[in-house]
Amino acid sequence: MHECLLCERDMKKSKNEFGNGCINNIYKFLDIEKPTRGKDKELFLYKNIMKKTNIYKINKEQKIWLADRYLTYQYLDKLTYGNFEKLKKQINEDIENVDKTEKFDEMITSKKIKLKEAYDIYKKETKFKTNLAKIENNEYKEEENIKLLITGFSYIFNIYKNQYEKNSFKAMQYVFWQTVIEVGRRYFNYKLAAELLQHSLKKDPKDFIIKDKKIINMIISDQNFKKKIKEILDKYNKKQNFYISQGKESMSFKNNDLYFAIHKANIEMSAKKNEDSSWEANITLSDTFDFTKFKSPFDYYFDANNIPKSILSSTLYNLAFISQKLGVIKEYNVIVKLTIKIQKNGEIEMF
Amino acid sequence: MKKILKRAFFIILLLIIIYIVYLHTLYDYNFYSSLIEIPIPMFAKMEEKDTHGGFHGDGESLVKIYFSNKQAEKFIKKIKNNTHWSTLPIDEILQNCINNNSIEGMSVPLVENGYWFFLDRHSNATNKYDYNDMFNRASSNYSVAIFDKESNILYIYSLDT
């Protein structure tokens, strides 16, 4: 089987190193004018590359290796995401020494990265940038933007073939999550969720302590928060004071932004009853911002009572799980401390 | 000919649906068996309430699995061979954690005669069978299983915050 050097598809009877389609792509990529009819495109390509690299006295095989390494370098050079400087430097060395090379395997980078691998990363990054531009330019409506986010970028969460693809995917995933944050802010006004996701993308995110009064008001106004506090006070109503240590009680938020940002939090609480039967309480809500369990396709379907919403949130969850495994998203603790007064009628006010 | 093809199509569709339901059922049994480290008899009656979901996958779940006498006998034999299972009573601190929570009307009753199992699934857990560490963390990811010898019911409670 004789394969094209660029795409590795079987070229059957052709004796060339590149298929017809691929050689045309290469000409376009390198911005070289195609030769006039009658001239061999492949040989013309080798001549062009030899001219660009200023390497002339090489045999037929060395010309092919030179083209291979030169193209590999050019594809890597066009990449924005991922760090390939060391590899490019080594490829340059291989190019400079091609006239002394007797076997392709002797080249340092021949086993590190194939031409096809560099080409694949380049294609994926081009697709990524195209889809990103569509979202940034608002070419799609809100729902379409979200669908595009999922389908247009899911390949960057696939199993990577080599460490270079891994580096590239990691960098693109980082940009993907930045886009999710932007879409979340723009369309849904989920400020806290966006802020927590942004924080997880930092190199070494410290514990996130929520002090913003608006967010704290959002928390104490949350229906489920009020319900849980009432539940706890009803349980301890006969006591004058009580303490619940961390890990024994938890609650889920109803408010959309809190739901996406935190969802379920642990409660640590100490409370004291006043003479007028109101309570004063110190509450610490805590959670870990993380994605620890991959969801099966069945979990996707049965996740919520709305299948499209279910699929969207489950897909985003699994993508976040992959990003956390790769170290793009990092886990950290989210903590909020409240000192509140709960009136006899259940009304909650901040101290 | 058209009628035959139509019939064949519906039969195939029905078979696919049955297969998907079977796989989903199989998935649950395999998942919980792996969680509690003992195989659960396939097709034992299972009731499940689960609030896990959303962007973080947080929530709690409670599963009740009903065993026949024979199934219970085999299950208890396997429990006795597993050092991570213990005889009841469960420690009060853990009992309070699971009894505090009712999920859509379903809860774990106070069981006096049987066995229990604990698994700490948190990423920071040093000993996943020890529940003491989990009270010092910002979040909880754990599962508790209780097998009631009187009623032959297995309860599996899981919490993820």
Side-chain angles (χ1 to χ4, degrees):
Chain A
M1 201 164 78
H2 179 56
E3 294 170 345
C4 167
L5 260 185
L6 187 64
C7 65
E8 291 186 358
R9 283 197 197 118
D10 182 22
M11 294 202 297
K12 295 184 172 51
K13 290 178 185 170
S14 170
K15 288 178 186 173
N16 290 342
E17 298 304 316
F18 296 101
N20 207 29
C22 283
I23 202 131
N24 288 336
N25 276 340
I26 291 168
Y27 270 91
K28 194 177 171 185
F29 172 69
L30 293 177
D31 198 21
I32 306 171
E33 219 175 289
K34 274 189 253 182
T36 51
R37 267 192 184 187
K39 280 196 174 171
D40 186 311
K41 277 193 259 186
E42 197 160 301
L43 286 175
F44 192 76
L45 175 68
Y46 295 151
K47 274 187 187 164
N48 253 284
I49 291 173
M50 283 159 68
K51 199 176 173 184
K52 283 178 191 289
T53 55
N54 206 26
I55 296 171
Y56 293 101
K57 288 179 182 168
I58 51 178
N59 61 38
K60 187 186 170 189
E61 278 180 329
Q62 287 168 336
K63 284 177 190 173
I64 296 167
W65 302 336
L66 174 64
D68 180 289
R69 292 294 92 188
Y70 178 80
L71 288 169
T72 305
Y73 181 95
Q74 293 303 321
Y75 283 119
L76 292 178
D77 198 40
K78 288 279 188 290
L79 298 176
T80 316
Y81 304 112
N83 187 344
F84 300 97
E85 293 311 309
K86 190 180 171 186
L87 183 61
K88 277 164 35 182
K89 204 177 167 187
Q90 289 174 332
I91 295 174
N92 248 345
E93 282 172 26
D94 281 340
I95 289 170
E96 282 164 13
N97 293 319
V98 72
D99 54 343
K100 300 178 194 80
T101 308
E102 286 180 11
K103 278 184 188 171
F104 184 68
D105 286 352
E106 285 171 16
M107 291 182 154
I108 311 166
T109 59
S110 64
K111 287 182 180 119
K112 287 190 177 183
I113 188 160
K114 289 158 75 171
L115 170 57
K116 182 183 184 303
E117 286 166 346
Y119 177 55
D120 282 345
I121 298 174
Y122 169 77
K123 276 194 300 180
K124 281 168 186 166
E125 192 178 292
T126 307
K127 182 180 171 185
F128 178 80
K129 283 177 178 171
T130 307
N131 285 334
L132 205 63
K134 282 177 183 168
I135 292 184
E136 283 167 358
N137 295 334
N138 272 329
E139 283 184 32
Y140 292 83
K141 286 182 228 168
E142 176 188 316
E143 277 170 27
E144 285 170 347
N145 258 4
I146 294 154
K147 280 183 204 164
L148 175 64
L149 254 184
I150 308 299
T151 58
F153 296 98
S154 58
Y155 64 92
I156 62 172
F157 295 89
N158 282 346
I159 297 170
Y160 44 86
K161 292 173 194 161
N162 52 58
Q163 65 170 109
Y164 305 111
E165 204 169 59
K166 179 184 174 183
N167 286 343
S168 181
F169 280 2
K170 271 179 79 168
M172 286 194 276
Q173 282 178 27
Y174 179 86
V175 176
F176 169 83
W177 290 114
Q178 294 283 24
T179 311
V180 167
I181 290 164
E182 187 49 41
V183 168
R185 272 200 191 114
R186 202 192 298 167
Y187 293 118
F188 301 103
N189 203 27
Y190 291 161
K191 289 187 179 156
L192 180 61
E195 202 174 341
L196 294 187
L197 184 55
Q198 185 75 64
H199 191 71
S200 77
L201 297 175
K202 287 183 181 171
K203 203 175 175 184
D204 181 22
K206 301 281 178 256
D207 285 354
F208 193 98
I209 318 257
I210 295 175
K211 289 180 184 172
D212 187 308
K213 281 187 179 157
K214 274 188 186 163
I215 298 172
I216 289 175
N217 274 328
M218 194 163 60
I219 290 171
I220 62 174
S221 309
D222 184 86
Q223 270 182 50
N224 281 358
F225 175 79
K226 287 183 192 174
K227 195 175 162 193
K228 187 67 185 183
I229 299 301
K230 185 180 180 306
E231 213 176 272
I232 294 173
L233 293 180
D234 285 346
K235 207 193 285 182
Y236 291 94
N237 196 31
K238 291 182 181 167
K239 298 197 171 184
Q240 287 302 115
N241 55 60
F242 64 87
Y243 171 69
I244 301 170
S245 59
Q246 198 176 49
K248 297 205 179 114
E249 291 280 359
S250 61
M251 59 145 297
S252 293
F253 288 104
K254 197 175 172 78
N255 167 286
N256 279 341
D257 193 8
L258 291 169
Y259 178 83
F260 271 94
I262 301 170
H263 190 172
K264 206 165 174 67
N266 278 358
I267 302 172
E268 183 187 359
M269 181 174 176
S270 65
K272 186 186 82 182
K273 203 181 210 174
N274 293 324
E275 277 177 17
D276 61 354
S277 297
S278 66
W279 289 85
E280 283 171 26
N282 289 312
I283 299 173
T284 304
L285 298 172
S286 59
D287 188 30
T288 306
F289 189 90
D290 65 350
F291 306 89
T292 48
K293 184 185 132 191
F294 196 82
K295 283 191 188 176
S296 78
F298 297 115
D299 289 333
Y300 271 53
Y301 184 79
F302 294 105
D303 187 35
N305 51 19
N306 175 308
I307 293 165
K309 179 183 169 185
S310 183
I311 291 171
L312 171 65
S313 79
S314 296
T315 306
L316 274 180
Y317 175 92
N318 275 348
L319 297 183
F321 171 82
I322 293 167
S323 284
Q324 186 172 322
K325 281 281 173 202
L326 277 184
V328 176
I329 286 178
K330 286 136 215 126
E331 71 173 57
Y332 60 90
N333 294 331
V334 180
I335 297 162
V336 56
K337 291 184 188 285
L338 313 163
T339 303
I340 57 174
K341 186 172 182 177
I342 308 114
Q343 300 290 5
K344 205 177 168 182
N345 60 6
E347 223 179 275
I348 299 176
E349 26 181 270
M350 283 287 294
F351 257 127
Chain B
M1 185 66 183
K2 246 188 178 177
K3 254 190 181 173
I4 296 169
L5 280 172
K6 228 182 178 177
R7 239 177 237 174
F9 171 74
F10 281 115
I11 291 171
I12 291 168
L13 190 64
L14 191 64
L15 285 172
I16 290 170
I17 292 168
I18 292 169
Y19 184 64
I20 288 172
V21 171
Y22 168 74
L23 274 183
H24 180 241
T25 313
L26 199 70
Y27 171 80
D28 277 349
Y29 285 96
N30 284 342
F31 173 76
Y32 288 117
S33 297
S34 168
L35 190 70
I36 63 170
E37 298 178 3
I38 296 179
I40 293 168
M42 210 64 75
F43 304 116
K45 184 184 164 193
M46 188 190 279
E47 277 175 36
E48 188 181 8
K49 299 284 178 193
D50 191 349
T51 63
H52 284 88
F55 185 47
H56 291 280
D58 291 350
E60 14 177 21
S61 69
L62 179 56
V63 178
K64 272 168 85 167
I65 303 169
Y66 299 81
F67 289 56
S68 66
N69 287 338
K70 219 177 177 178
Q71 287 170 337
E73 230 179 272
K74 281 187 183 169
F75 191 73
I76 292 170
K77 238 183 186 172
K78 291 186 175 125
I79 284 178
K80 287 178 179 172
N81 285 332
N82 186 315
T83 53
H84 300 136
W85 277 80
S86 308
T87 321
L88 287 170
I90 198 171
D91 273 355
E92 196 183 333
I93 199 170
L94 209 51
Q95 184 77 66
N96 286 338
C97 284
I98 50 175
N99 288 136
N100 271 344
N101 302 296
S102 157
I103 307 168
E104 294 170 20
M106 199 156 97
S107 56
V108 183
L110 198 63
V111 177
E112 287 177 351
N113 188 10
Y115 305 89
W116 66 278
F117 168 88
F118 172 83
L119 187 72
D120 186 351
R121 291 178 285 99
H122 199 278
S123 54
N124 292 343
T126 44
N127 177 358
K128 59 184 182 177
Y129 303 106
D130 180 4
Y131 56 82
N132 287 303
D133 274 347
M134 72 175 190
F135 298 115
N136 297 323
R137 296 189 205 122
S139 59
S140 306
N141 301 92
Y142 67 84
S143 296
V144 179
I146 292 181
F147 183 72
D148 186 345
K149 267 173 86 174
E150 307 280 338
S151 60
N152 289 342
I153 298 176
L154 172 67
Y155 301 90
I156 306 173
Y157 171 79
S158 296
L159 174 70
D160 292 277
T161 69

